[in-house]
Amino acid sequence: MTKSNISHKMFLSLMIPFVLSTITQPLLGAADIAVVGKLNDVSYISGVSIGTLIFNTIYWIFGFLRVSTAQSSHYKDRKSISDIFFRPILIALIISLSIIVFQDIIFESFIKFIQPEIEIQKNSDIYFKILIWGAPFVLTNYVLLGWLMGLGNIKFYMIMQISGNVLNIVLDIIFVIFLGLKVEGVAYATLISQIFSFCLGVYFILPYSYHKYLNLKSIINKKELINIFCVNRDLMIRTICLVLHNNLFTMASSNLGGEILAANTVLFQIMSIISYSFDGIANTASVFSGRAKGMKDNTLMKNCWKKTLYWGGIFVVLITIIYLIFESDIIKIFTTLPDIVTLAEKYSKWIVIYPAISFLGLTFYGVFTGSAETFPIMISTVIAFIVFFIAWKYLIPIYKNNGVWLSLLIFYFGRGIFLIPCLRKTLTEKKEI
């Protein structure tokens, strides 16, 4: 086996743990929707979905905290490592405090944008007011998870991800199904799991003794703090496009009525689970593309492309077959309300074609992040969003909810199509092995 070769065994040895760890993230939101979906009120599903959207919008924008720490944890000097570790934590705490202070403005702004029905708005408010206190733990967890990934400690990374999400699912069932706490139960279950993940992350990081080199004056370096935002500019712009398209999707669904919003929420949760499974492949691709870039080995990089395409294609076939066979059963996991099940089944055809439409963009972005080529990711997402917005504006008035889903799939299709021509940018000018 040559250094430039990537066997299927090598690829799978990383891909399987990454898929298992990433797929637990959407399962958290899916569990929230599933438990309230068993209650005899559409407003519970829609209310939790809007609350989840608000937090996703806030947290995704600052997702660079995870990426930047993962890229920075390779330094050798203990003092430098301590500064680089605590600086994003300081940013996370400042952002969290701002979110808590301005929570009323944030919530009211989203409600004015989405314009849900009154009962849905009330449930969103309950969910939001409880879960807002998890902001410091979520953003700090981004840093801790990114650091563990950068250190190559996949075991602790997976334990931190999976255990917190499993706890959330268990507490969802206890609080909502057995104790009857409804939306409050879902929110408290998520908050407790966020605090638990934070405590676990601190426990895993403590042996590295970064706190022994803590120097507040060195951490509060204005130039370095600004640099974190500048370096991650491309990823922030890309993320803003993602959250905008999510918000526009939810707003359009809400405008079509509470039942459509609830049905679309169920389908969107299924779509998210599919997306995150592909994200596991993207994380695997980023490892090999980063190695290829570091070695300046174009053959290794091209082999990374091939394996990413191969396993992405395998996942498309498997996911599509599984969904076609168990389509109705999967929908009923999230809700048993007859009207919502009927609506979800009516529009379920868009989920059937989603894997084939989206997998290029969802997997190949990992090749670019691994090789530190973030500009193509940003520009392809921006172009895809522009095309999506045009479709969103003109198709929905004509085709109603089918127009909502068609515009959404156009966005995901565009992310792949506009990204693939940039693959050559990941190659190096000279091959050196």
Side-chain angles (χ1 to χ4, degrees), residues 77-87 90 209-222 224-225:
D77 176 52
R78 304 291 291 181
K79 176 64 177 62
S80 298
I81 290 177
S82 177
D83 290 347
I84 295 167
F85 173 71
F86 283 108
R87 198 168 286 127
L90 175 64
S209 302
Y210 299 132
H211 58 284
K212 293 182 179 179
Y213 303 90
L214 179 61
N215 185 319
L216 190 59
K217 184 178 179 180
S218 180
I219 292 169
I220 306 175
N221 183 312
K222 185 178 178 181
E224 291 296 334
L225 289 170

Side-chain angles (χ1 to χ4, degrees), residues 86-359:
F86 283 108
R87 198 168 286 127
I89 286 182
L90 175 64
I91 293 173
L93 293 176
I94 292 172
I95 292 170
S96 303
L97 179 61
S98 301
I99 291 169
I100 292 171
V101 169
F102 297 106
Q103 59 179 283
D104 290 337
I105 296 173
I106 292 170
F107 182 76
E108 289 168 10
S109 298
F110 273 93
I111 292 302
K112 286 180 181 178
F113 179 75
I114 299 172
Q115 298 178 340
E117 297 169 2
I118 297 299
E119 198 60 34
I120 294 173
Q121 181 178 328
K122 288 179 181 178
N123 285 314
S124 297
D125 183 62
I126 293 169
Y127 185 84
F128 180 83
K129 291 296 172 58
I130 295 171
L131 212 50
I132 192 69
W133 299 101
F137 303 103
V138 173
L139 294 181
T140 305
N141 281 343
Y142 279 5
V143 179
L144 298 175
L145 284 166
W147 203 263
L148 289 171
M149 180 181 284
L151 292 169
N153 199 327
I154 304 301
K155 178 184 176 181
F156 286 171
Y157 176 90
M158 286 184 64
I159 292 173
M160 189 176 166
Q161 280 275 76
I162 294 173
S163 60
N165 292 336
V166 169
L167 176 64
N168 184 84
I169 293 169
V170 172
L171 291 177
D172 269 340
I173 295 170
I174 294 172
F175 290 167
V176 180
I177 303 300
F178 292 104
L179 299 181
L181 294 179
K182 300 179 181 177
V183 173
E184 294 96 328
V186 170
Y188 281 123
T190 304
L191 178 61
I192 292 170
S193 69
Q194 290 168 350
I195 296 171
F196 174 78
S197 293
F198 166 78
C199 294
L200 205 56
V202 171
Y203 175 75
F204 288 151
I205 289 293
L206 275 177
Y208 293 99
S209 302
Y210 299 132
H211 58 284
K212 293 182 179 179
Y213 303 90
L214 179 61
N215 185 319
L216 190 59
K217 184 178 179 180
S218 180
I219 292 169
I220 306 175
N221 183 312
K222 185 178 178 181
K223 182 180 177 182
E224 291 296 334
L225 289 170
I226 293 173
N227 187 54
I228 290 176
F229 288 94
C230 292
V231 168
N232 292 282
R233 178 197 60 196
D234 292 341
L235 293 178
M236 286 184 69
I237 294 172
R238 170 244 187 192
T239 304
I240 289 170
C241 288
L242 291 176
V243 298
L244 281 174
H245 107 276
N246 272 4
N247 278 272
L248 290 170
F249 171 83
T250 304
M251 184 184 77
S253 301
S254 179
N255 289 339
L256 293 173
E259 290 191 345
I260 288 290
L261 176 58
N264 282 358
T265 296
V266 168
L267 295 177
F268 194 83
Q269 289 299 325
I270 297 169
M271 192 184 79
S272 295
I273 294 172
I274 296 171
S275 299
Y276 274 85
S277 67
F278 284 120
D279 200 49
I281 301 175
N283 287 338
T284 309
S286 70
V287 171
F288 287 108
S289 67
R291 187 179 302 171
K293 198 74 172 183
M295 295 170 61
K296 299 185 179 181
D297 188 341
N298 289 337
T299 302
L300 180 59
M301 183 68 77
K302 289 178 180 178
N303 282 332
C304 175
W305 299 354
K306 291 176 182 177
K307 289 297 185 293
T308 303
L309 181 63
Y310 178 86
W311 284 105
I314 293 291
F315 263 53
V316 168
V317 174
L318 289 176
I319 290 170
T320 304
I321 291 173
I322 291 170
Y323 189 73
L324 283 171
I325 294 172
F326 300 104
E327 177 181 348
S328 181
D329 295 322
I330 292 171
I331 290 171
K332 288 174 182 175
I333 290 173
F334 294 92
T335 181
T336 52
L337 293 172
D339 291 343
I340 306 306
V341 171
T342 301
L343 276 174
E345 289 177 345
K346 178 181 178 181
Y347 297 106
S348 185
K349 60 181 178 291
W350 297 108
I351 303 299
V352 174
I353 64 175
Y354 173 72
I357 289 290
S358 65
F359 90 97

Side-chain angles (χ1 to χ4, degrees), residues 51-63:
T52 302
L53 174 72
I54 296 172
F55 287 113
N56 284 346
T57 300
I58 296 169
Y59 296 148
W60 285 2
I61 291 173
F62 302 107

Side-chain angles (χ1 to χ4, degrees), residues 363-429:
T363 56
F364 271 89
Y365 91 89
V367 175
F368 290 87
T369 55
S371 57
E373 292 286 348
T374 56
F375 183 76
I377 298 174
M378 183 271 286
I379 199 67
S380 63
T381 308
V382 169
I383 296 171
F385 178 78
I386 292 170
V387 177
F388 155 78
F389 185 76
I390 294 170
W392 180 88
K393 186 174 179 61
Y394 292 105
L395 293 180
I396 295 174
I398 301 172
Y399 301 107
K400 305 301 179 184
N401 200 40
N402 282 315
V404 173
W405 282 101
L406 179 57
S407 60
L408 186 73
L409 263 64
I410 285 172
F411 173 74
Y412 281 99
F413 181 68
R415 284 181 65 190
I417 291 301
F418 298 129
L419 184 64
I420 299 306
C422 302
L423 272 177
R424 291 190 63 83
K425 284 185 172 290
T426 63
L427 299 177
T428 55
E429 294 181 2

